Every structure is written in structure tokens, then in C-alpha cells.
Amino acid sequence: MDSWVPFRRSDTAKVVDLVRAVADARDPGEHGEGVEVVVEAPRLRWWRALFNRDDALAQARIVVTRDGGEVRFPFDIQLVTAHGADAAHRLGRRTGWAVSNSNGLAFLIQKGPDPDFPELVTGAVEALAKLRRQPRDGGWRARVDRAITRS
């Protein structure tokens, strides 16, 4: 699926359904290295972006499947924001989660052997909301990215 699915920050059911569909299909992706669900926060209004220096894209890339379509621990979210590798450490502690800034990239990692898809999506959306300084409820979107290369 290459098209964006709009959703409201207060209702992430559509995104949870996308994550479950990819996991249930055990989709290996186009290159066999897995599939991610990309969650994107709405951009700030131009005047807020100008004064807050926050005009960059804000995405959370939920790793749903890995090599060969395997769904397994760790369940992580890469944060792609204006904060760079420091993004995960700006969020504070969250029960059941770890943070990392490996190799210049920011990650949230859901602990535990089994995925909690609603919590995974909630963690991604709440992280983006905090990094975006509480953006509006509407204007969020998500899509499945099957063209992942992790080499």
C-alpha cells in the first residue's frame, strides 16, 4: 500500500489495523528486509514553524516485520525528526519502553517478547506529539513502506 491513510491523533484504530495486517501477512517487503508502517505528524502552521524552527518532517517508522517477514522482538520505532539522534532522549521515561540513539538514529524500543500493537502505535503517536509540541488532532497520516533496505 503506497497511499497515505489519514487518521486523528485521538483515534489510531486505522493505524493499528495497518500494523496488524502487515504482521499477519508476514510480509518480507520488496527487498526481503522487512516492512515498516510510517506514521507522520501534521506539519506546524507556517508561522509556528518559522518561530519554533520546526518545519522538518516528523515521522515514526514502526518496524513490523524483519528479514523474511519475521515478526519478532525487538519491536522498535525509528524517529525521524528535526531533533535527530537526540529525539528519543527528549521523551522521558515510559513504562515498558527503552530508548536508543544508535548510529546517529533515534529509536524507541518496546520491551517484551510479544508485540502489543495498540501500545506500539500509541507510543509512536505520543512520541511525535511530544516532539511536535502537541500538534492538532487532525492531519495525521500513515502508510505501509515495503521498500525497506537495512544493509
Side-chain angles (χ1 to χ4, degrees):
M1 175 182 288
D2 291 329
S3 60
W4 289 97
V5 175
F7 70 97
R8 299 186 73 73
R9 183 174 138 207
S10 59
D11 182 11
T12 60
K14 292 178 187 177
V15 184
V16 173
D17 290 345
L18 282 177
V19 171
R20 279 196 177 115
V22 171
D24 289 345
R26 305 256 189 247
D27 189 345
E30 291 176 14
H31 305 288
E33 296 184 27
V35 176
E36 297 175 354
V37 171
V38 181
V39 176
E40 192 171 281
R43 289 186 182 267
L44 294 175
R45 305 261 192 254
W46 70 269
W47 66 90
R48 284 187 61 203
L50 178 68
F51 293 114
N52 291 310
R53 297 178 185 219
D54 198 9
D55 61 345
L57 207 58
Q59 290 186 342
R61 302 184 68 85
I62 303 170
V63 177
V64 182
T65 63
R66 298 184 180 280
D67 290 345
E70 189 176 10
V71 178
R72 64 170 173 79
F73 179 83
F75 302 102
D76 58 283
I77 302 166
Q78 180 185 354
L79 298 172
V80 182
T81 69
H83 302 291
D86 189 43
H89 292 286
R90 291 173 165 263
L91 300 174
R93 304 203 56 62
R94 183 178 169 106
T95 304
W97 291 82
V99 297
S100 172
N101 59 349
S102 304
N103 201 25
L105 303 172
F107 289 95
L108 296 174
I109 301 130
Q110 185 183 42
K111 297 177 183 180
D114 298 315
D116 179 347
F117 296 133
E119 176 63 14
L120 197 59
V121 171
T122 298
V125 171
E126 286 182 6
L128 289 176
K130 186 169 184 179
L131 293 169
R132 268 286 198 230
R133 300 186 184 126
Q134 304 302 323
R136 61 190 182 272
D137 190 42
W140 291 75
R141 60 188 192 162
R143 71 177 175 88
V144 175
D145 186 354
R146 298 187 68 251
I148 302 304
T149 55
R150 296 192 175 107
S151 305

